[in-house]
Amino acid sequence: MSNERLALPDILLASRGAATRIAYHAGRYYHADEFYATVSHRAGQLQAQPSRRYALFTEDAYPFAVLLFALLHAGKQVWIAGNNRPGTAQQLQEHGCQLIGDWDPGKTVDYALEAAEAPALPLSPLSLQQTQLVIFTSGSTGEPKPIEKNLGQFQLEVATLEQQWGALLGDAEVLATVSHQHIYGLLFRVLWPLSAGRCFHSPTYLNPETLANAVHDTACWVASPAHLKRLDQGSPWRSIAGLKAVFSSGGALPETAKQQIKTCSGQEVIEIYGSSETGGIAWRQHDSHWQLFDGMGLNTTDGNWQLHSPYLQSHSFQLDDQLSLQADGRFILHGRVDRIVKIEEKRLSLSELERRLVDMPWIAEALSLTLVKSRDVVAAAVVLTETGLAQLKAEGRNTLVRQTRSHLNQWFDTVVLPRKWLLLNTMPLTALGKIDQPLLTALLDSNQRKLPQVQSVCITPGNVELLLRVPEELVYFPDHFAGYPILPGVVQLAWVEHFGKLFFALDKLSMPFSQLEVVKFTKTIHPGDELTLSLNWKAISGKLYFNFSSGVAAYSSGRMIYEK
């Protein structure tokens, strides 16, 4: 690795030597002279084009770097898209962008290799202040918005990163499981390596195993919590232990995952806190406190935290996070104020998702939320319109969900689409008239080792009707009975009480359970069955009536008595 760190405007003008490795792409290394020549030819082609504004998306990082610097040297404004979904493409075109890169899955072009005949453009240093990049991402309102940055802002951040960790990385190659289309990946796996003279790998490695197999010598890993918390006992710990560093951004890494990585590999993950708007703000490695990068400052007014950063053109920005500042200048994060979440390092506005849902003619209301698991997932609770109810009756729940996901796929990456769905006749409300999110979370995030999957709910005063699916993986089946699993009657009663407490707050009425009355078990329930549980609460008598059924078939019924 060259000891010379370059300013971003001078990357293509460096005298590092023709054989300096820039990137590993398509099975081989690309060197400085090839990078320069391809960018020069592409810049010549692009300079002759009338379009001023380009939306750039590529699957691999080296073609991205080629097109990025070709566009910049051709005097174009570059918009960096978070994904290449049709809806995103349409929005960018409405902003006047010409699409360039891998937008059409049927037309794969390797822009790094294919330098068509064109006069090479002599390359001059880029202007730090006039050269613009635009990050196109979801804002706090949920609507995708352009965030304009000049090259000088990126240059300051790259210099800070090298000052902080350059000696640690040395000549490590940069490998990643995160996309270069987002600011974290753009900085850590493209701009910083180019400036510092480190070779970066072009593919986005989908899992730790393929990343470990791609390590040629010394390397670092640019990762996200989504990847790191899925590591298990079968992960390539020996390879991870040999890395110079492991970086993570896109959300807080759970403490359990952090400790597992340290125990199994000796690596202490370096976490980065920041956003598309601000760039990097702080980092942490050894404990829960965040350390501000050099030049950063924080102050608060009425509980709203203001960031002061040299990376920002206005030099200040109101954060969307709650935090508490410590006496030593470090701080603890307490979560976001808005409804932007990170799923698999993809930024998602739950508000925008809800708006897209209610735009559909079959959905009247929608609430989206995240379920925190080993792999975080998005869930959606929706109220259907008359059209939706007719569609549900005619085509079934699975078809309705597939059509809804297909519609959302025009706007969102598949990984952030809801994986759990709850159909409602009305949104449940608290005593204050607000949507009862704890209830919806409990219904969507039930333990399917012990509870049924709730598919739909119909709520009327004093009555609830739940459409349930009995999971095959219930812990009660293996021993009841071998070779012929059925759901025990005592479990059915436990389910009745569980849902009675959720919908009628039986555990808060100071009415302890007393006895069962007229309980009948008339038909056995098996793994995979779908059935309806009807609950009717008689507050005056303290009786909870229940009935498990499917169509005209009755499975069990009775009532649970609670003392007044």
Side-chain angles (χ1 to χ4, degrees), residues 80 93 257 267 372 401 455 458 539 552:
I80 299 174
Q93 288 171 319
Q267 289 281 359
V372 179
V401 169
Q455 301 194 76
C458 181
V552 296

Side-chain angles (χ1 to χ4, degrees), residues 15 31 69 138 182 188 259 388 407 497 511 562:
S15 56
H31 300 88
F69 280 94
S138 296
H182 298 270
F188 275 69
Q259 289 303 318
H407 180 88
E497 185 164 49
M511 297 172 62
Y562 292 82

